[in-house]
Amino acid sequence: MRRQAAAILSQLGRALAPSEQLASNNLKVALVRGFADDANLKKTAFYDFHVAHGGKMVPFAGWSMPIQYKDSIMDSTQHCRKGAALFDVAHMCGLTLKGPDAISFLETLVVGDIAGLKDGTGSLSCFTNEKGGIIDDTVITRVAADELYIVVNAGCRDKDLAHLNKHLSAYQAKGKKVSMTVHDERALLALQGPAAAPTLQALTKEDLSKMYFSNFKRFDVKGIPVWVTRTGYTGEDGFEISVPNTHAVQLAEALVSNSAVKLAGLGARDSLRLEAGLCLYGNDLNEDITPIEAGLAWGVGKRRR
């Protein structure tokens, strides 16, 4: 297995331009330190789908994830810029806070102005510790006045949930009404690139021309009920699709049946996010760096300053 890891790392280095190689540094470290038998790793609902499509599986944040497929990382990166790429991001943790006190509770833990969001819109924010350091960066969507949908990083899942549960218990003990649900029953796909919108539009009756950046909607795709955000996970325009595990592969197959769509892995994800200037937790962000020091002052709501 270690020889396989070495071969993948070698290809990763050859596939990326010098600037893009920087984005893969953390990924390489994770591979070297954490390469293990797949049996010891968690698998998303798409694992067999990845293997069947030639995915090269590697350990990432405790999960077995594809670093690339049959094409090179460079080819995958460039295709996402010109067409559409489909990423498995089901290793990330989705959760919901519900109740009349959900927003006020979350604002005790993050720096964003969640109360100021309109229903059906979201924003990047950060969980911070008592020193102002970043516990994790997250995308928070205000579904309704009493419902929030949150996605946190896979590598920070355990500490994020512990942090949330600790403060949630204390908040509930004060008589506040808020509950949390972790969506392990759902998978998450990111359809990214300039061809993402027409590809998804062909599979749904929802008018995506009226779904703008940071919007959230629930609708059917190929008869499958999904939750969709439009945040551009890779820096390209795109949609993040939360789907029940039971229909996850069915949806992925429908999306890749379009010739404009190719599967993409962690290698392309890193190069695309670096190109877009998006922060990577553990590299640009950690518990000793504040949102201001990380250049994320724009994510601190004016009402919260």
Side-chain angles (χ1 to χ4, degrees):
M1 296 296 285
R2 287 189 178 276
R3 285 196 295 272
Q4 182 185 355
I8 291 171
L9 292 176
S10 176
Q11 184 170 1
L12 178 61
R14 292 196 302 271
L16 297 179
S19 62
E20 292 171 323
Q21 288 176 9
L22 295 175
S24 67
N25 285 347
N26 276 11
L27 185 58
K28 290 182 180 181
V29 171
L31 290 172
V32 171
R33 292 179 178 174
F35 210 92
D37 193 301
D38 263 7
N40 298 321
L41 298 171
K42 291 179 284 187
K43 297 176 175 64
T44 73
F46 304 105
Y47 178 83
D48 291 338
F49 171 82
H50 295 315
V51 173
H53 284 79
K56 295 182 179 180
M57 310 304 290
V58 300
F60 184 78
W63 294 80
S64 180
M65 299 296 294
I67 189 172
Q68 66 183 100
Y69 293 84
K70 296 177 181 179
D71 54 355
S72 71
I73 292 172
M74 179 61 77
D75 288 341
S76 184
T77 300
Q78 292 178 337
H79 183 80
C80 186
R81 295 172 184 153
K82 299 174 183 178
L86 186 65
F87 297 82
D88 173 7
V89 289
H91 60 307
M92 300 181 77
C93 178
L95 59 100
T96 294
L97 293 175
K98 283 189 176 182
D101 297 312
I103 290 176
S104 59
F105 165 66
L106 189 60
E107 286 194 345
T108 67
L109 305 179
V110 302
V111 298
D113 180 5
I114 311 306
L117 292 173
K118 295 180 180 179
D119 290 353
T121 67
S123 177
L124 176 74
S125 194
C126 297
F127 288 101
T128 54
N129 57 30
E130 293 179 355
K131 300 182 297 182
I134 300 172
I135 296 173
D136 196 8
D137 60 318
T138 177
V139 174
I140 300 169
T141 299
R142 175 173 166 156
V143 180
D146 61 351
E147 182 178 358
L148 301 171
Y149 173 54
I150 305 164
V151 178
V152 301
N153 286 307
C156 297
R157 173 190 169 116
D158 290 346
K159 70 172 182 177
D160 287 354
L161 293 181
H163 184 68
L164 278 159
N165 278 314
K166 173 185 174 182
H167 290 277
L168 181 61
S169 295
Y171 211 68
Q172 291 171 331
K174 297 177 182 178
K176 301 294 186 179
K177 296 181 179 180
V178 56
S179 63
M180 182 172 75
T181 301
V182 179
H183 295 297
D184 288 335
E185 81 288 0
R186 304 185 72 86
L188 191 62
L189 288 167
L191 180 64
Q192 307 284 290
T199 296
L200 188 59
Q201 185 64 81
L203 301 176
T204 182
K205 296 179 180 179
E206 185 74 24
D207 185 357
L208 299 182
S209 69
K210 296 179 180 178
M211 186 173 182
Y212 307 111
F213 178 74
S214 85
N215 282 185
F216 169 97
K217 288 188 177 182
R218 291 185 172 115
F219 52 85
D220 287 357
V221 176
K222 288 284 287 186
I224 302 169
V226 296
W227 308 346
V228 181
T229 57
R230 191 172 191 171
T231 65
Y233 165 80
T234 60
E236 297 289 338
D237 179 31
F239 302 85
E240 298 74 43
I241 309 168
S242 175
V243 56
N245 286 331
T246 51
H247 293 89
V249 173
Q250 179 186 348
L251 179 59
E253 291 283 13
L255 291 168
V256 298
S257 68
N258 189 314
S259 60
V261 181
K262 288 187 177 182
L263 293 167
L266 295 171
R269 179 207 68 165
D270 271 10
S271 58
L272 288 160
R273 287 178 63 86
L274 173 66
E275 183 178 61
L278 300 178
C279 294
L280 179 65
Y281 195 87
N283 185 17
D284 309 298
L285 312 174
N286 61 48
E287 294 195 32
D288 294 317
I289 298 175
T290 69
I292 306 303
E293 293 168 335
L296 297 175
W298 56 268
V300 182
K302 292 182 180 179
R303 182 177 61 82
R304 310 292 310 283
R305 298 179 186 180

